[in-house]
Each structure stands twice: as C-alpha cells, then as structure tokens.
Amino acid sequence: MEITKDALINIVGNVQDKIDVEEVIDNILISAKIEQALLESEQGLGQDWNEFKDEWLKEDL
C-alpha cells in the first residue's frame, strides 16, 4: 500500500499540536486505503454499486 507525499503532508499538517501516534498512523492507513480504492475504481477493478447493494440487502442481519 502506498500514499503520496502530498497526502501525508496534508494529514500531518491538519493534526493538532499534540496527537496520539496511533491516531496519526490510523489516518495515514485510512488515507492510503482510500487512494488505493480510488485508483482501483478508476481502473474498473471495483465491484459494481448495484451488485454490491443487491448483495448487501440480501444478507440476513
């Protein structure tokens, strides 16, 4: 998993002066996962929204 330097700078630049290290790491991981998902979506690798919705609605909660 990768993240751009700009995204990393944005994450670090938008945190409080004091922040828990785990929270920063969580923010970095979430941002990297979002970037990866967007890239996969642009390449047509994601699941179709309607298929996902139908599948989700059929699940027994």
Side-chain angles (χ1 to χ4, degrees):
M1 183 178 339
E2 294 180 348
I3 188 170
T4 63
K5 185 192 297 188
D6 288 338
L8 188 57
I9 290 170
N10 186 38
I11 291 168
V12 174
N14 289 322
V15 297
Q16 302 167 3
D17 289 338
K18 253 186 155 177
I19 189 168
D20 184 60
V21 173
E22 290 179 7
E23 188 175 338
V24 174
I25 292 170
D26 287 344
N27 288 343
I28 292 169
L29 289 172
I30 289 169
S31 183
K33 288 178 181 183
I34 291 170
E35 281 191 29
Q36 181 66 35
L38 290 172
L39 179 62
E40 289 175 7
S41 178
E42 288 171 1
Q43 296 173 351
L45 299 175
Q47 185 178 14
D48 179 69
W49 169 248
N50 289 323
E51 288 177 15
F52 168 78
K53 189 170 57 172
D54 291 342
E55 208 174 282
W56 185 76
L57 290 173
K58 287 179 185 176
E59 286 187 17
D60 192 24
L61 302 176

